[in-house]
Amino acid sequence: MTGDAPSAAQLQGIQDAFVRQLASLGRLRTYPKNTVFITEGDSSDSVFVILSGKVKVFISDTEGHEMILDTQTAGEYVGEMALDGNPRSASVMTMEASTFSVVARDPIREAIRNNPDFALDMISKIIDRARLATSSVKDLALLDVYGRVARLLLNMAVDKGGKLAIPDKLTQQEIAERVGASRDMVSRIFRDLTAGGYISVENRMITINKKPPARW
């Protein structure tokens, strides 16, 4: 569904002033769960600001194997890599019903020309994401599967009542797709971490009881 520009109420939940301004330039669109709305290799040039819902950014091969690059929720945006006119570098799929402000390239360019602060904020966001991508490549190149799983859990964990817990309910398959490994390998690592008392899992909620060792 495509509609008018987002209302003030729809933008209110976005804390970042730059993202809120970016969202105000677009038009509303809603997709159901499990919809691929950006496809790797496509030539679209729109940026999708997430007003509600959750998405995953992923790449895949011809045999259907996927690797999740990132997940984003309300207040974030995806698709900015296509602003240079080149094909999409990754696919994006909704993980739940989601609503977006879809912003075309021309309004963004106009905002950049008219507001230097807008341009600086966008550059800062792109640099942050480039740093994250560099870190991910480094992990894939230098860490074994155990190291990548342990790093992912520690990076995602937040403090909940004095304990570190993963706020999202992750399946072992989703973890495998994030670290570039098989589900069987991740399952073996989880069994070892659980047996060693490093983590506990209940209803897919992962709690880190103590920091996993750097090497297994």
Side-chain angles (χ1 to χ4, degrees), residues 201-212:
V201 183
E202 185 175 353
N203 295 326
R204 287 172 48 196
M205 292 296 296
I206 304 167
T207 300
I208 300 176
N209 301 316
K210 55 184 178 179
K211 185 177 179 179

Side-chain angles (χ1 to χ4, degrees), residues 19-36:
V19 179
R20 190 163 56 248
Q21 183 179 2
L22 178 64
S24 71
L25 303 174
R27 291 289 180 266
L28 289 177
R29 184 171 296 174
T30 300
Y31 293 110
K33 182 180 179 179
N34 294 333
T35 300
V36 177

Side-chain angles (χ1 to χ4, degrees), residues 5-6 35-36 49 83 85 152 154 156 165 171 194 199 202 211 215:
T35 300
V36 177
V49 182
L83 289 175
L152 175 67
L154 289 172
M156 294 188 68
T171 65
T194 301
I199 67 171
E202 185 175 353
K211 185 177 179 179
R215 296 283 185 272

Side-chain angles (χ1 to χ4, degrees), residues 149-165:
V149 170
R151 179 74 62 85
L152 175 67
L153 296 179
L154 289 172
N155 286 345
M156 294 188 68
V158 298
D159 187 282
K160 286 191 173 183
K163 283 193 172 183
L164 290 177

Side-chain angles (χ1 to χ4, degrees), residues 6-70:
S7 67
Q10 287 168 319
L11 297 177
Q12 189 174 9
I14 300 177
Q15 301 300 316
D16 189 301
F18 161 72
V19 179
R20 190 163 56 248
Q21 183 179 2
L22 178 64
S24 71
L25 303 174
R27 291 289 180 266
L28 289 177
R29 184 171 296 174
T30 300
Y31 293 110
K33 182 180 179 179
N34 294 333
T35 300
V36 177
F37 59 95
I38 292 178
T39 302
E40 183 179 356
D42 280 359
S43 58
S44 172
D45 63 0
S46 297
V47 175
F48 291 72
V49 182
I50 308 167
L51 301 179
S52 66
K54 183 178 181 180
V55 307
K56 70 174 182 179
V57 184
F58 68 96
I59 54 177
S60 58
D61 61 20
T62 55
E63 297 179 354
H65 301 125
E66 290 184 5
M67 181 171 181
I68 298 175
L69 303 178
D70 201 3

